[in-house]
Amino acid sequence: MKKYILISLAVLITCTVAIAHTAVSEDNSNATSASSPQVYTFEVNGVTFEMVRVEGGTFTMGATAEQGDDAYADEMPAHEVTLSSYCIGKTEVTQALWQAVMGVNPSGFKDANLPVEQVSWNDCQEFIAKLNALTGKAFRLPTEAEWEFAARGGNFSRGYKYSGSNTLSHVAWYADNSADKTHPVATKAPNELGIYDMSGNVYEWCIDWYGDYSSSVQCNPTGPDTGSDRVHRGGSWFSLPRNCCVSFRFSNTPSDGSDCIGLRLAF
């Protein structure tokens, strides 16, 4: 199967840490001050959503020391990755936004402010294509490396095991506190970048095919060229703590959906 690689205008082809701070100037977006990570607000059919700018940098991806014995074999070897700047959703895509774009809500747990779920990777591609047609923008799913860098807090990372804390209950809805359901987005504490729910609530699809890691230094990696499963990350309302770690990886076939899997936008 041909791999989808949707390259964002915000991501440079060359890999340098000192990346130009290109302003995102959009007719329907507003940026916060430069003193904190920039946040851009977009609107589609009356529903607003926010994207956080993640400045490019270099990090160690995979089973780093803070993961301890909770790391699985497919999180190894840990390896150095350098990324260009990009933007990622402040929250998971809500049912309100999915409804505004698609006209339907496939979710098992129904509420406008809950993350959308029961969406396959293929469904997400259709949603993104329609969103881009409505907005004239170039939204996409994050790469697996972009997802993990943002979950770790980007260049503001404090080395937490989970996204934003070493205490999972502070930042995540997961098996021990979810009451077996999803919860409204942004109701737990954010991580160092001001991003919510990158541990728990619902897994989030990434662009990449699932495959083994390499120990080599990488620049803007996009995963294997082919595969059978697509990556999703972050754990869910159903997950044990070790499955909510920032390095944890999971996957499903592109046609499969679940009430544990949703998505987060990037560009």
Side-chain angles (χ1 to χ4, degrees):
M1 184 182 295
K2 184 178 179 181
K3 184 178 182 181
Y4 294 83
I5 304 178
L6 308 179
I7 303 298
S8 164
L9 294 178
V11 177
L12 304 180
I13 300 301
T14 57
C15 194
T16 58
V17 177
I19 293 156
H21 290 192
T22 304
V24 180
S25 178
E26 307 287 4
D27 291 340
N28 61 346
S29 68
N30 292 296
T32 61
S33 69
S35 61
S36 60
Q38 290 179 303
V39 178
Y40 302 96
T41 301
F42 297 87
E43 181 177 352
V44 58
N45 289 337
V47 176
T48 60
F49 60 99
E50 295 181 313
M51 305 289 290
V52 176
R53 182 175 172 84
V54 182
E55 297 295 339
T58 299
F59 76 110
T60 301
M61 183 173 179
T64 48
E66 67 270 21
Q67 309 307 311
D69 293 337
D70 283 339
Y72 290 87
D74 68 349
E75 298 167 35
M76 304 173 192
H79 53 285
E80 182 179 296
V81 172
T82 297
L83 295 174
S84 302
S85 299
Y86 58 99
C87 290
I88 197 165
K90 188 173 184 178
T91 71
E92 296 154 330
V93 169
T94 63
Q95 294 175 29
L97 180 56
W98 188 279
Q99 177 81 43
V101 173
M102 302 296 285
V104 295
N105 180 6
S107 304
F109 304 107
K110 290 286 200 294
D111 186 86
N113 291 323
L114 293 176
V116 70
E117 21 88 5
Q118 293 286 12
V119 291
S120 68
W121 189 93
N122 292 336
D123 293 334
C124 293
Q125 299 309 305
E126 182 180 356
F127 164 79
I128 289 169
K130 290 186 177 181
L131 176 64
N132 289 341
L134 287 168
T135 62
K137 306 303 182 281
F139 296 106
R140 57 180 175 84
L141 294 176
T143 67
E144 186 175 14
E146 288 173 338
W147 189 96
E148 185 169 322
F149 187 51
R152 288 177 178 271
N155 294 323
F156 296 93
S157 177
R158 297 176 183 172
Y160 293 131
K161 184 170 187 172
Y162 310 109
S163 184
S165 181
N166 285 324
T167 303
L168 184 56
S169 60
H170 290 175
V171 293
W173 297 108
Y174 67 111
D176 288 355
N177 66 1
S178 71
D180 295 330
K181 61 183 180 181
T182 59
H183 289 259
V185 299
T187 51
K188 288 289 186 177
N191 75 357
E192 299 96 315
L193 288 169
I195 302 172
Y196 295 87
D197 297 307
M198 295 199 83
S199 290
N201 221 5
V202 291
Y203 283 103
E204 301 167 13
W205 287 110
C206 296
I207 288 176
D208 308 44
W209 291 110
Y210 175 81
D212 293 336
Y213 280 163
S214 167
S215 60
S216 63
V217 174
Q218 297 175 45
C219 171
N220 293 328
T222 55
D225 291 335
T226 59
S228 59
D229 287 6
R230 296 284 185 175
V231 174
H232 51 84
R233 299 292 297 265
S236 75
W237 59 269
F238 189 70
S239 296
L240 298 175
R242 70 182 301 182
N243 294 1
C244 296
C245 295
V246 291
S247 61
F248 178 74
R249 313 174 69 209
F250 209 43
S251 66
N252 276 87
T253 59
S255 59
D256 283 347
S258 163
D259 60 7
C260 294
I261 309 176
L263 73 154
R264 185 182 302 265
L265 294 170
F267 72 79

